[in-house]
Amino acid sequence: MSTQRSIFITGGGSGIGRATALHFAARGWFVGVADINAGGMAETLNLIQGSAKWAGPLDVRDRKGWDEALAAFAEAAGGRIDALVNNAGIGTGGSLSELDPEEIDRCLDINLKGVLYGAQAVYPYLQKTAPGSALVNIASAAGIAGSAGMSVYCATKFGVRAVSESLDAEWAGDRITVASVCPGFIETPLLDGTGNRRSNEQIRDRVRAAGLEITPVERVAEAVWDAVHGDKLDYFVGATAKRMAFAKRWMPGKVRKQLRASLRPLGQ
Ligand code: NAP
């Protein structure tokens, strides 16, 4: 088995996944990116110096595809996988009454089932590299509090945190690190979307109009690094996520009042 540590990152062709790939590559890790976006993956690979890198197509909804991608990656990485970042995800917004069943299924399948599939598939690899191996799931500030127009996305991100908490207990005996990273609003192409097929307004514009900050994507990559090397269950990134986590814990009644008063869907 190689002595170089390796990390497999889903959604590595863009945004948070790409920034995380570059962060770990710069610190000597063998990096694998998996995505449905072939062009994005190729670009990420180009940005990584050296040859300690791998990319392969993976739709995180494909359970068999997970086994194939991880096996191919482990072989390329010298027989080991030290960390998985379950990062691939999509934004979905809008009143529940207006969403098509297909939109609901797609978001649950990618954001939540994809995370469970990945955790299940990577478990034997992480057992072999423990202690020191890690599963990091990218949740969201939307996994801290539910809000109007966000029921489906919030359900997936609360769910991602639940998966992390459960596996933290389930894998404690294996000495595998498990954590969630909960970013607020992060500067990635996800903010270019509307989050809702009935809206023309970009998420980015709604965030700015609400006076909230947009955090540089590198802050999330740093949090993933901390999560792989640390022992906390949750890592909150950006002022919005930190504020929400604090308020939800210490003044839940006030948070509820504020969320009920805000009529416009906000946040991903
Ligand atoms: P992004 O820039 O849109 O990148 C997501 C990547 O995942 C894209 O390359 C996308 O491909 C890919 N992808 C989509 N569906 C996939 C699937 N089924 N299988 C494999 N890959 C798939 O988004 P991001 O902002 O970096 O988001 C990454 C994660 O962070 C998501 O889980 C998101 O919910 C979470 N997050 C983001 C923010 C934020 O403000 N940006 C805040 C909190 C949490 P396509 O481009 O082809 O769709």
Side-chain angles (χ1 to χ4, degrees), residues 56-78:
L58 172 66
D59 185 328
V60 295
R61 293 169 289 186
D62 176 0
R63 179 63 185 82
K64 192 162 163 276
W66 266 105
D67 288 338
E68 290 163 2
L70 290 178
F73 172 65
E75 196 181 333

Side-chain angles (χ1 to χ4, degrees), residues 11 14 16 35 37 58-60 87 139 153 157 183-184 186 188-190:
S14 180
I16 291 170
D35 206 298
N37 186 332
L58 172 66
D59 185 328
V60 295
N87 164 72
Y153 187 77
K157 295 305 186 180
I186 307 299
T188 77
L190 189 141

Side-chain angles (χ1 to χ4, degrees), residues 1-237:
M1 191 155 79
S2 163
T3 52
Q4 185 177 30
R5 302 185 79 201
S6 78
I7 185 164
F8 186 93
I9 303 163
T10 65
S14 180
I16 291 170
R18 173 177 295 166
T20 303
L22 297 178
H23 195 83
F24 277 77
R27 285 155 187 79
W29 284 56
F30 191 106
V31 173
V33 293
D35 206 298
I36 48 168
N37 186 332
M41 267 193 305
E43 213 173 303
T44 301
L45 227 55
N46 270 339
L47 291 168
I48 297 175
Q49 314 282 325
S51 58
K53 55 189 176 185
W54 175 95
L58 172 66
D59 185 328
V60 295
R61 293 169 289 186
D62 176 0
R63 179 63 185 82
K64 192 162 163 276
W66 266 105
D67 288 338
E68 290 163 2
L70 290 178
F73 172 65
E75 196 181 333
R80 64 186 296 158
I81 301 178
D82 295 271
L84 165 65
V85 186
N86 265 323
N87 164 72
I90 58 166
T92 299
S95 318
L96 184 61
S97 59
E98 291 181 345
L99 289 175
D100 290 336
E102 295 74 33
E103 288 177 289
I104 297 173
D105 289 349
R106 186 171 145 76
C107 190
L108 290 172
D109 287 350
I110 296 174
N111 292 14
L112 187 53
K113 270 168 77 176
V115 166
L116 286 163
Y117 285 172
Q120 193 181 49
V122 83
Y123 179 53
Y125 294 99
L126 298 187
Q127 276 182 306
K128 278 186 206 134
T129 45
S133 56
L135 169 68
V136 179
N137 297 318
I138 306 299
S140 169
I144 303 169
S147 56
M150 298 294 295
S151 59
V152 177
Y153 187 77
C154 286
T156 67
K157 295 305 186 180
F158 270 72
V160 168
R161 292 185 69 204
V163 171
S164 302
E165 193 168 342
S166 300
L167 294 180
D168 176 56
E170 197 167 309
W171 295 356
D174 295 297
R175 295 196 290 163
I176 299 169
T177 297
V178 183
S180 293
V181 169
C182 300
F185 299 103
I186 307 299
E187 186 50 72
T188 77
L190 189 141
L191 297 191
D192 299 333
T194 62
N196 178 351
R197 72 193 151 79
R198 285 178 184 76
S199 166
N200 293 322
E201 195 185 10
Q202 286 187 342
I203 296 167
R204 178 178 284 101
D205 294 336
R206 300 212 304 274
V207 173
R208 290 209 176 109
L212 298 170
E213 88 295 339
I214 296 178
T215 303
V217 70
E218 287 74 23
R219 294 294 91 77
V220 188
E222 289 160 12
V224 175
W225 178 268
D226 291 346
V228 166
H229 296 92
D231 62 0
K232 288 196 296 178
L233 189 53
D234 284 304
Y235 293 79
F236 302 108
V237 186

